[in-house]
Amino acid sequence: MVNSFWVFCACIDQASVGVVERWGRFEKLANPGLIFLNPCLGQCIAGVLSTRLRSLEVRVETKTKDNVFVQLLCSIQYRIIKENADDAFYELQNPQEQIQAYVFDVVRAHVPRMTLDDLFEQKGDVAKVVLEELEKVMGAYGFNIEQILMVDIIPDPSVRKAMNEINAAQRLQLASVYKGEAEKVLLVKRAEAEAEAKYLAGVGVAKQRQAITNGLRDNILNFSHTVEGTSAKEVMDLIMVTQYFDTLKDLGNSSKNTTVFIPHGPGHVRDISNQIRDGVLEASSAQVNHE
């Protein structure tokens, strides 16, 4: 921007450069600050160019190698080369359109050789190719391309939906595999626990029965030695009757028991005692044979 005080002087703003002409021909570049002109010699300010960094957003629609239409949003950051500002002023009438046209040409020549996945992975390479091409072309016109960024890659909405569905299906498949492995481990551990529990329960029952057998045998022997004239059968019947009445007493003290004895009666205690006595005798016989 130029501010003219008189016809003999002008002021160039900071981060700008003025183009001074003499009788319609380029004479020199004017730096920021106050400059003096001689209208009598035909000097004038033809224009002022900003040297600030500019940004141009370019949206390019193209097709990938796997026939997917995508839109690439590019951000081109450029500035005028101060020493070559006269070339930027006289050579190009609309530098933005020129930059945009070159970006279209380079992107549409490079992207169709890449698949959609490759484009997402190598978007930096695309930006690098565009930067190199623009630097060669725009440098001759007094412009310096500072940086090019591939801001976004936007596939067709139907393609994006399909990609999301493929990704979701793959993740569900992987989750099913992990879930199946977890269930397998759980079932194996549960089976091992049940087997261990049954084994320990069997050991406990065997030890319990052995303890009962040993206790009954000791009671019979002690009672036979203490009370003379009693046989082992009589002692066993007495113990069983005592256990029978103790059981009835315990059942009577609790109101929530649902235990039912069928058949019921003291006469059946004799049958039970006979079975226990036979078991004790068999256990003793087995122990003697083992020794």
Side-chain angles (χ1 to χ4, degrees):
M1 182 177 182
V2 58
N3 296 321
S4 298
F5 298 117
W6 302 286
V7 292
F8 299 102
C9 63
C11 183
I12 307 299
D13 291 340
Q14 183 67 31
S16 299
V17 60
V19 179
V20 180
E21 292 182 349
R22 183 175 182 179
W23 302 118
R25 295 180 62 183
F26 171 74
E27 182 179 21
K28 64 178 180 179
L29 295 174
N31 293 323
L34 183 65
I35 64 171
F36 293 94
L37 304 171
N38 190 348
C40 298
L41 298 178
Q43 289 183 334
C44 67
I45 299 294
V48 177
L49 298 176
S50 175
T51 58
R52 293 186 178 93
L53 183 67
R54 299 182 181 182
S55 179
L56 175 64
E57 301 291 336
V58 180
R59 186 181 294 268
V60 185
E61 185 174 4
T62 183
K63 186 180 71 170
T64 62
K65 186 177 180 179
D66 46 357
N67 296 323
V68 177
F69 284 91
V70 295
Q71 290 186 358
L72 278 71
L73 184 60
C74 308
S75 177
I76 296 94
Q77 299 176 1
Y78 68 99
R79 72 169 75 237
I80 291 176
I81 303 174
K82 187 175 181 180
E83 293 77 10
N84 300 330
D86 54 325
D87 293 332
F89 184 76
Y90 289 106
E91 297 293 338
L92 292 180
Q93 182 176 3
N94 194 331
Q96 288 82 8
E97 289 186 0
Q98 189 75 12
I99 293 174
Q100 185 174 357
Y102 278 108
V103 172
F104 282 175
D105 182 67
V106 176
V107 170
R108 288 174 177 171
H110 188 73
V111 172
R113 292 179 290 179
M114 307 170 64
T115 63
L116 182 61
D117 293 335
D118 293 338
L119 178 60
F120 275 99
E121 295 175 0
Q122 305 174 16
K123 65 176 183 178
D125 296 340
V126 178
K128 184 178 180 181
V129 172
V130 177
L131 177 62
E132 292 175 351
E133 189 67 24
L134 282 180
E135 281 181 340
K136 291 188 295 184
V137 175
M138 300 304 296
Y141 298 114
F143 287 90
N144 182 37
I145 308 299
E146 298 287 340
Q147 192 174 10
I148 295 181
L149 302 175
M150 288 295 169
V151 180
D152 197 6
I153 300 175
I154 308 174
D156 186 82
S158 59
V159 176
R160 295 174 63 182
K161 182 179 179 182
M163 293 175 64
N164 291 332
E165 290 178 352
I166 292 174
N167 195 341
Q170 292 176 347
R171 293 182 180 276
L172 288 175
Q173 182 180 5
L174 185 60
S176 299
V177 172
Y178 282 118
K179 184 178 179 181
E181 291 294 332
E183 292 179 351
K184 176 182 177 182
V185 172
L186 183 61
L187 291 175
V188 171
K189 293 299 181 181
R190 184 178 298 170
E192 292 177 354
E194 291 179 355
E196 186 69 18
K198 290 179 180 179
Y199 171 76
L200 295 176
V203 173
V205 171
K207 290 182 179 181
Q208 180 186 16
R209 292 176 178 175
Q210 184 64 37
I212 292 174
T213 302
N214 294 335
L216 291 175
R217 182 185 61 189
D218 294 339
N219 289 333
I220 293 171
L221 293 176
N222 292 334
F223 198 89
S224 299
H225 294 159
T226 304
V227 181
E228 297 180 358
T230 58
S231 63
K233 180 177 180 304
E234 293 174 346
V235 176
M236 178 62 73
D237 293 339
L238 179 60
I239 292 174
M240 291 302 300
V241 171
T242 303
Q243 293 292 333
Y244 175 77
F245 285 111
D246 289 341
T247 302
L248 293 180
K249 180 180 178 181
D250 293 337
L251 293 175
N253 291 333
S254 177
S255 60
K256 296 182 179 180
N257 284 327
T258 57
T259 305
V260 178
F261 289 95
I262 299 175
H264 176 72
H268 293 282
V269 177
R270 182 178 301 275
D271 298 334
I272 299 174
S273 63
N274 291 334
Q275 295 176 8
I276 293 177
R277 184 179 64 254
D278 294 340
V280 172
L281 294 176
E282 292 178 359
S284 300
S285 176
Q287 185 174 2
V288 171
N289 293 332
H290 179 71
E291 292 176 355

